[in-house]
Amino acid sequence: MRILLLITLLLNYSVVMAQKTDTIMLEKLMESKPELFGSVLNHRDKNQVQILYTQITRDVKNKPRFKSYSFNLDPHHYFYPASTVKLAAVIFALEKVNRLKSIGLTVKSIMITDSAFRGQTKVEKDGSAENGLPTLEHFIKKILLTSDNDAFNRLFEFIGRAEINDKLKKYGFRDSRILNRLAIGDAGETAKHTNPIRFYNNDRLVYEQEAQYDPKEYELNLTNLVMGKGYLDSADKLVNKPFSLANKNAFAINDQHRLMQKLMFPEALQAHERFNLTAADYKLIYTYMSKYPTESDYPKYDEKEFWPTYAKMLYYGREKNVTPDPNIRIFNKYGDSYGYIIDNSYFVDFKNGIEYLLTAVVQSNEDGIYNDNKYEYDTVCFPFMKNLGRTIYEMETSRKKPKTDLSKFKMNYQ
């Protein structure tokens, strides 16, 4: 009986989790283009490059099969994940709504955030929304379109720090943790306290969440938590000692990649492995993860600040004067901070039937000083991301595979 059970478990083991990762192909591919990758390959540890790429091949029934390739992957080598943690928060916030929907809570419910601890701020209005009121749906749009920090902080407060980290563990993201809000100096005790929140459907209170406190520390086995030779403190004074990123958010490349794979291919998972999302939830995420800021009316963005391909690092880099390919959509979540550029993406070319998953991180900080906003984003990081995405795409164009139906991912951007 035990042997039969073991065989059954092995046969049912998710294709997402059961892949063997090739560690040679990506290196050879980049070595074949020294004009694009030579500098970074020669300083792979200095630039802290990690890459995961997954080829997708569908059978005659359009069922996906996956084969993964990695470069320099080390789940325990710490890098600052910046805004990439926001995608997990989007998913977990929607899961919490689904758990509470029986009392009338929806993503469109008016969300009023109060304060109850030092450093906390209130939110009662949102001028970028059509009705001027904050909702989870609108915060999610702002996160996925332009990576709004305050919107993430409000989701963090709604889900609660303990639930976020319980969910990471539940779904197998064991090399990651989300401990604090972003861009407000949130750390220590302030990060452990989250705001009281009330939700209304019109004038009717449907859910009230008291302030929460999470005492846990969420230790991980990480290296590279202390880096560089100095940093600027809160008063912009140079401190001549290494910069510590201990007790910060962590989101390993393997966990980011797997989260994207779970999100885009729930049909490839066993039921218990899937996120608890509705069809409407998937549509919301897919639409705004792939939508350009210039296609959005609410919120509305200045094209000079948020041009169409602003968030699409792994193909377009950060070049402003680029017309997006009309046949291509990139479903992604990027991050940039402390000299790190990270992008976690699912790429689709509808015309040529191309799809793949690609996640990468690269860093450049030549002077070894942190918090000085002097990083080689434009000369090292953005070009690397663009070249990597384009090189993978070119390789995919020559890869023979059965005809693919990608209509599931064609969103309405009107």
Side-chain angles (χ1 to χ4, degrees), residues 139-151:
F139 287 143
I140 287 169
K141 291 177 181 180
K142 292 199 289 186
I143 286 171
L144 298 178
L145 283 166
T146 60
S147 202
D148 187 281
N149 287 319
D150 181 71

Side-chain angles (χ1 to χ4, degrees), residues 47-98:
N47 291 125
Q48 302 188 48
V49 179
Q50 296 187 53
I51 306 170
L52 255 175
Y53 156 56
T54 296
Q55 290 180 346
I56 303 163
T57 305
R58 295 178 183 265
D59 62 19
V60 293
K61 295 183 179 180
N62 210 47
K63 185 177 181 180
R65 291 288 183 268
F66 307 98
K67 184 175 182 180
S68 293
Y69 303 84
S70 68
F71 173 79
N72 212 35
L73 187 66
D74 183 354
H76 303 293
H77 182 89
Y78 182 77
F79 63 89
Y80 186 67
S83 294
T84 56
V85 300
K86 296 172 184 176
L87 184 56
V90 166
I91 294 168
F92 299 160
L94 290 170
E95 286 194 320
K96 185 167 182 175
V97 170
N98 291 333

Side-chain angles (χ1 to χ4, degrees), residues 306-319:
F306 297 108
W307 54 96
T309 60
Y310 170 84
K312 310 303 179 184
M313 311 282 190
L314 277 169
Y315 190 75
Y316 295 107
R318 261 287 167 86
E319 297 177 10

Side-chain angles (χ1 to χ4, degrees), residues 258-304:
R258 188 157 62 249
L259 179 141
M260 184 66 75
Q261 197 166 354
K262 282 176 174 282
L263 178 64
M264 305 310 294
F265 299 97
E267 72 279 8
L269 298 164
Q270 299 298 310
H272 71 277
E273 296 176 302
R274 297 171 191 159
F275 297 124
N276 181 27
L277 300 176
T278 65
D281 295 333
Y282 281 111
K283 182 178 180 181
L284 174 65
I285 297 175
Y286 291 176
T287 298
Y288 285 89
M289 194 162 55
S290 60
K291 193 172 190 174
Y292 301 127
T294 49
E295 294 173 322
S296 174
D297 291 325
Y298 297 99
K300 186 74 173 178
Y301 296 102
D302 181 349
E303 188 169 348
K304 292 181 180 179

Side-chain angles (χ1 to χ4, degrees), residues 202-221:
N202 296 318
D203 295 328
R204 182 172 67 89
L205 178 68
V206 294
Y207 178 63
E208 186 169 10
Q209 178 172 290
E210 296 182 355
Q212 300 179 58
Y213 177 71
D214 176 30
K216 296 180 182 178
E217 298 295 342
Y218 305 101
E219 297 291 340
L220 292 173
N221 179 23

